[in-house]
Coordinates of all heavy atoms in Angstrom, one line a residue:
I1 N -7.9 -7.3 -7.2 CA -8.3 -7.5 -5.8 C -8.2 -6.1 -5.0 O -9.1 -5.9 -4.2 CB -7.3 -8.5 -5.1 CG1 -7.6 -9.9 -5.7 CG2 -7.4 -8.5 -3.5 CD1 -6.5 -10.9 -5.3
V2 N -7.2 -5.3 -5.3 CA -7.0 -4.0 -4.6 C -8.2 -3.2 -5.0 O -8.8 -2.5 -4.2 CB -5.7 -3.4 -5.0 CG1 -5.7 -1.9 -4.5 CG2 -4.6 -4.2 -4.3
E3 N -8.6 -3.2 -6.3 CA -9.7 -2.4 -6.8 C -11.0 -2.8 -6.0 O -11.8 -2.0 -5.8 CB -9.9 -2.6 -8.4 CG -8.9 -1.8 -9.1 CD -9.1 -2.2 -10.7 OE1 -9.7 -3.2 -11.0 OE2 -8.6 -1.3 -11.5
L4 N -11.2 -4.1 -5.8 CA -12.3 -4.6 -5.2 C -12.4 -4.1 -3.7 O -13.5 -3.6 -3.3 CB -12.4 -6.2 -5.2 CG -13.4 -6.9 -4.4 CD1 -14.8 -6.6 -5.0 CD2 -13.2 -8.4 -4.4
F5 N -11.3 -4.2 -3.0 CA -11.3 -3.6 -1.6 C -11.5 -2.1 -1.6 O -12.1 -1.7 -0.7 CB -10.1 -4.0 -0.8 CG -10.1 -5.4 -0.2 CD1 -9.8 -6.6 -1.0 CD2 -10.5 -5.5 1.1 CE1 -10.0 -7.8 -0.4 CE2 -10.7 -6.8 1.6 CZ -10.3 -8.0 0.9
N6 N -11.0 -1.4 -2.6 CA -11.1 0.0 -2.6 C -12.4 0.5 -3.1 O -12.8 1.7 -3.0 CB -10.0 0.6 -3.4 CG -9.0 1.4 -2.6 OD1 -9.0 1.5 -1.4 ND2 -7.9 1.8 -3.2
S7 N -13.3 -0.3 -3.7 CA -14.4 0.0 -4.3 C -15.7 0.2 -3.3 O -15.5 -0.1 -2.2 CB -15.0 -1.1 -5.3 OG -15.5 -2.2 -4.6
D8 N -16.7 0.7 -3.8 CA -18.0 1.0 -3.0 C -18.6 -0.3 -2.5 O -19.4 -0.3 -1.6 CB -18.9 1.9 -3.7 CG -18.4 3.3 -3.9 OD1 -17.6 3.8 -3.2 OD2 -18.9 4.0 -4.9
V9 N -18.3 -1.4 -3.2 CA -18.9 -2.7 -2.8 C -18.4 -3.0 -1.4 O -19.2 -3.7 -0.7 CB -18.5 -3.8 -3.9 CG1 -19.0 -5.2 -3.4 CG2 -19.1 -3.4 -5.3
N10 N -17.2 -2.8 -1.2 CA -16.6 -3.1 0.2 C -17.0 -2.0 1.1 O -16.7 -0.8 0.9 CB -15.1 -3.2 0.1 CG -14.5 -3.3 1.4 OD1 -15.0 -3.7 2.4 ND2 -13.2 -2.8 1.5
K11 N -17.8 -2.4 2.2 CA -18.3 -1.3 3.1 C -17.3 -1.1 4.3 O -17.1 0.0 4.7 CB -19.6 -1.8 3.6 CG -20.7 -2.0 2.5 CD -20.9 -0.8 1.7 CE -21.9 -1.0 0.6 NZ -22.1 0.2 -0.3
T12 N -16.9 -2.2 4.8 CA -16.1 -2.0 6.1 C -14.8 -2.8 6.3 O -14.0 -2.6 7.2 CB -16.9 -2.4 7.3 OG1 -17.4 -3.8 7.2 CG2 -18.2 -1.4 7.5
S13 N -14.4 -3.6 5.2 CA -13.2 -4.5 5.3 C -12.1 -3.7 5.0 O -12.0 -2.8 4.1 CB -13.4 -5.6 4.5 OG -12.2 -6.5 4.6
Q14 N -10.9 -4.0 5.6 CA -9.6 -3.4 5.3 C -8.6 -4.4 4.9 O -8.5 -5.5 5.4 CB -9.1 -2.7 6.6 CG -10.0 -1.5 7.0 CD -9.6 -0.9 8.4 OE1 -9.7 -1.6 9.4 NE2 -9.0 0.3 8.4
L15 N -7.8 -4.0 3.8 CA -6.8 -4.9 3.3 C -5.4 -4.2 3.5 O -5.2 -3.1 3.1 CB -7.0 -5.1 1.8 CG -5.9 -5.7 1.0 CD1 -5.6 -7.2 1.5 CD2 -6.1 -5.7 -0.5
I16 N -4.5 -4.9 4.2 CA -3.2 -4.5 4.4 C -2.2 -5.5 3.8 O -2.4 -6.8 4.0 CB -2.8 -4.4 5.9 CG1 -3.8 -3.4 6.7 CG2 -1.3 -4.1 6.2 CD1 -3.7 -3.4 8.2
F17 N -1.3 -5.1 3.0 CA -0.5 -6.1 2.3 C 0.9 -5.6 2.0 O 1.2 -4.4 1.8 CB -1.1 -6.6 1.0 CG -1.3 -5.4 -0.1 CD1 -0.4 -5.1 -1.0 CD2 -2.5 -4.6 -0.1 CE1 -0.6 -4.1 -1.9 CE2 -2.7 -3.6 -1.0 CZ -1.8 -3.3 -1.9
A18 N 1.9 -6.6 2.0 CA 3.3 -6.3 1.7 C 3.5 -6.8 0.3 O 3.1 -7.9 0.0 CB 4.2 -6.9 2.6
T19 N 4.1 -6.0 -0.5 CA 4.3 -6.4 -2.0 C 5.6 -5.7 -2.6 O 6.0 -4.8 -2.1 CB 3.0 -5.9 -2.7 OG1 3.1 -6.4 -4.1 CG2 2.8 -4.4 -2.7
H20 N 5.9 -6.3 -3.8 CA 6.9 -5.7 -4.6 C 6.3 -5.2 -5.9 O 7.0 -4.7 -6.8 CB 8.0 -6.8 -5.0 CG 8.9 -7.1 -3.8 ND1 9.8 -6.2 -3.3 CD2 9.0 -8.3 -3.1 CE1 10.5 -6.8 -2.3 NE2 10.0 -8.1 -2.2
D21 N 5.0 -5.4 -6.1 CA 4.3 -5.2 -7.4 C 4.2 -3.7 -7.6 O 3.2 -3.1 -7.1 CB 2.9 -5.9 -7.4 CG 2.2 -5.8 -8.7 OD1 2.8 -5.1 -9.6 OD2 1.1 -6.4 -8.9
T22 N 5.0 -3.0 -8.4 CA 5.0 -1.7 -8.6 C 3.9 -1.2 -9.5 O 3.6 0.0 -9.6 CB 6.3 -1.2 -9.2 OG1 6.6 -1.9 -10.4 CG2 7.5 -1.5 -8.3
N23 N 3.2 -2.2 -10.2 CA 2.1 -1.8 -11.0 C 0.9 -1.2 -10.1 O 0.0 -0.5 -10.7 CB 1.5 -3.1 -11.7 CG 2.5 -3.6 -12.8 OD1 2.6 -3.0 -13.9 ND2 3.2 -4.7 -12.5
L24 N 0.9 -1.5 -8.9 CA -0.2 -1.0 -8.0 C 0.1 0.4 -7.6 O -0.7 1.0 -7.0 CB -0.3 -1.9 -6.8 CG -0.5 -3.4 -7.0 CD1 -0.6 -4.2 -5.7 CD2 -1.9 -3.6 -7.7
L25 N 1.4 0.9 -7.8 CA 1.7 2.3 -7.5 C 1.1 3.3 -8.5 O 1.9 3.9 -9.3 CB 3.2 2.5 -7.4 CG 3.8 1.8 -6.1 CD1 5.4 1.8 -6.3 CD2 3.5 2.5 -4.9
S26 N -0.2 3.3 -8.6 CA -0.8 4.2 -9.5 C -1.8 5.1 -8.8 O -2.5 4.7 -7.8 CB -1.6 3.4 -10.5 OG -2.5 4.2 -11.3
V27 N -1.8 6.4 -9.2 CA -2.6 7.4 -8.5 C -4.1 7.1 -8.8 O -5.0 7.5 -8.0 CB -2.2 8.8 -9.0 CG1 -2.7 8.9 -10.5 CG2 -2.9 9.9 -8.2
K28 N -4.3 6.3 -9.9 CA -5.7 5.9 -10.2 C -6.2 4.7 -9.3 O -7.4 4.4 -9.2 CB -5.8 5.5 -11.6 CG -5.6 6.6 -12.6 CD -5.6 6.1 -14.1 CE -5.4 7.2 -15.1 NZ -5.5 6.7 -16.5
L29 N -5.3 4.1 -8.6 CA -5.6 2.9 -7.8 C -5.5 3.2 -6.3 O -6.4 2.8 -5.6 CB -4.7 1.7 -8.2 CG -5.0 0.4 -7.5 CD1 -6.4 -0.1 -7.9 CD2 -3.9 -0.6 -7.9
L30 N -4.4 3.8 -5.9 CA -4.1 4.0 -4.5 C -3.9 5.5 -4.2 O -3.2 6.2 -5.0 CB -2.9 3.2 -4.0 CG -3.1 1.7 -4.0 CD1 -1.7 1.0 -3.8 CD2 -4.0 1.2 -2.9
R31 N -4.4 6.0 -3.1 CA -4.2 7.3 -2.6 C -2.7 7.4 -2.0 O -2.1 6.2 -1.7 CB -5.1 7.7 -1.5 CG -6.6 7.8 -2.0 CD -7.6 7.7 -0.8 NE -7.2 8.5 0.4 CZ -8.0 9.4 0.9 NH1 -9.1 9.8 0.4 NH2 -7.6 10.1 2.0
R32 N -2.2 8.6 -1.9 CA -0.8 8.7 -1.3 C -0.8 8.2 0.2 O 0.2 7.5 0.5 CB -0.4 10.2 -1.3 CG 0.1 10.7 -2.6 CD 0.5 12.1 -2.5 NE -0.7 12.9 -2.7 CZ -0.7 14.2 -2.3 NH1 0.3 14.8 -1.7 NH2 -1.9 14.9 -2.4
D33 N -1.8 8.3 0.9 CA -1.8 7.9 2.3 C -2.1 6.4 2.4 O -2.1 5.7 3.5 CB -2.8 8.6 3.1 CG -4.3 8.7 2.5 OD1 -4.6 8.1 1.5 OD2 -5.2 9.3 3.2
Q34 N -2.3 5.6 1.2 CA -2.5 4.2 1.3 C -1.2 3.5 0.8 O -1.2 2.3 0.8 CB -3.6 3.9 0.2 CG -5.0 4.2 0.7 CD -6.0 3.7 -0.3 OE1 -6.0 3.9 -1.6 NE2 -7.0 3.0 0.1
I35 N -0.1 4.3 0.7 CA 1.2 3.7 0.3 C 2.2 3.9 1.4 O 2.5 5.1 1.7 CB 1.7 4.3 -1.0 CG1 0.6 4.0 -2.1 CG2 3.0 3.7 -1.3 CD1 0.9 4.7 -3.4
D36 N 2.8 2.9 1.9 CA 3.9 3.0 2.9 C 5.1 2.3 2.4 O 5.1 1.5 1.5 CB 3.5 2.3 4.2 CG 2.6 3.2 5.1 OD1 2.1 4.2 4.6 OD2 2.4 2.9 6.3
F37 N 6.3 2.8 2.9 CA 7.6 2.3 2.6 C 8.3 1.7 3.7 O 8.3 2.3 4.8 CB 8.4 3.3 1.7 CG 7.8 3.8 0.5 CD1 7.2 5.1 0.5 CD2 7.7 3.0 -0.6 CE1 6.6 5.5 -0.6 CE2 7.1 3.5 -1.8 CZ 6.5 4.7 -1.8
V38 N 9.2 0.8 3.6 CA 10.1 0.3 4.6 C 11.5 0.3 4.2 O 11.8 -0.2 3.0 CB 9.8 -1.2 5.1 CG1 10.7 -1.6 6.2 CG2 8.3 -1.3 5.5
E39 N 12.4 0.9 4.9 CA 13.8 0.9 4.5 C 14.6 0.6 5.6 O 14.4 1.0 6.8 CB 14.1 2.4 4.0 CG 15.5 2.4 3.4 CD 15.7 3.8 2.6 OE1 15.7 4.9 3.3 OE2 15.8 3.9 1.4
K40 N 15.7 -0.1 5.5 CA 16.7 -0.5 6.5 C 17.9 0.3 6.4 O 18.5 0.4 5.3 CB 17.0 -2.0 6.4 CG 17.8 -2.5 7.6 CD 18.1 -4.0 7.4 CE 16.9 -4.9 7.8 NZ 17.1 -6.3 7.8
D41 N 18.3 0.9 7.5 CA 19.6 1.8 7.5 C 20.8 0.9 7.7 O 20.8 -0.3 7.8 CB 19.5 2.9 8.4 CG 19.4 2.4 10.0 OD1 19.9 1.3 10.2 OD2 18.8 3.1 10.8
K42 N 22.0 1.5 7.7 CA 23.3 0.9 7.8 C 23.5 0.2 9.1 O 24.4 -0.6 9.3 CB 24.4 1.7 7.4 CG 24.5 3.0 8.5 CD 25.7 3.8 8.0 CE 26.0 4.9 9.0 NZ 27.2 5.8 8.6
Y43 N 22.7 0.5 10.1 CA 22.7 -0.1 11.4 C 21.8 -1.3 11.6 O 21.6 -1.8 12.7 CB 22.6 1.0 12.5 CG 23.3 2.2 12.4 CD1 23.0 3.3 11.9 CD2 24.8 2.0 12.8 CE1 23.8 4.5 11.9 CE2 25.6 3.2 12.7 CZ 25.1 4.4 12.2 OH 25.9 5.5 12.1
G44 N 21.2 -1.6 10.5 CA 20.3 -2.8 10.5 C 18.9 -2.5 11.0 O 18.1 -3.5 11.3
E45 N 18.5 -1.2 11.1 CA 17.3 -0.8 11.7 C 16.3 -0.5 10.6 O 16.6 0.3 9.7 CB 17.5 0.4 12.7 CG 16.2 0.9 13.3 CD 16.4 2.0 14.1 OE1 17.6 2.5 14.4 OE2 15.3 2.7 14.6
S46 N 15.1 -1.0 10.7 CA 14.0 -0.8 9.7 C 13.2 0.5 10.1 O 13.0 0.7 11.3 CB 13.1 -1.9 9.5 OG 13.8 -3.0 9.0
H47 N 12.8 1.2 9.1 CA 12.0 2.4 9.4 C 10.8 2.3 8.4 O 10.9 2.1 7.3 CB 12.8 3.7 9.1 CG 14.1 3.7 9.8 ND1 14.1 4.4 11.1 CD2 15.4 3.4 9.6 CE1 15.4 4.3 11.6 NE2 16.1 3.7 10.7

């Protein structure tokens, strides 16, 4: 599915997703700027 959205077949659609699937963390699949992280600190605040 990620390959499909990242491909030339997809012209203008955007896919945003939350996941635990580390198999997608591949330089062949996603650029560095396509990967975000969320972390919660000891005060309960997410970043």
Side-chain angles (χ1 to χ4, degrees):
I1 293 171
V2 173
E3 284 178 339
L4 178 60
F5 273 86
N6 252 355
S7 71
D8 293 337
V9 174
N10 173 28
K11 303 300 182 185
T12 57
S13 182
Q14 293 169 294
L15 169 66
I16 300 167
F17 60 94
T19 183
H20 290 290
D21 186 356
T22 59
N23 291 284
L24 303 176
L25 287 172
S26 167
V27 69
K28 295 180 180 179
L29 186 63
L30 293 170
R31 298 160 42 121
R32 278 178 283 161
D33 51 2
Q34 290 184 306
I35 300 169
D36 280 12
F37 302 105
V38 184
E39 188 169 65
K40 187 179 285 185
D41 63 25
K42 64 180 181 180
Y43 304 105
E45 181 182 350
S46 296
H47 304 271

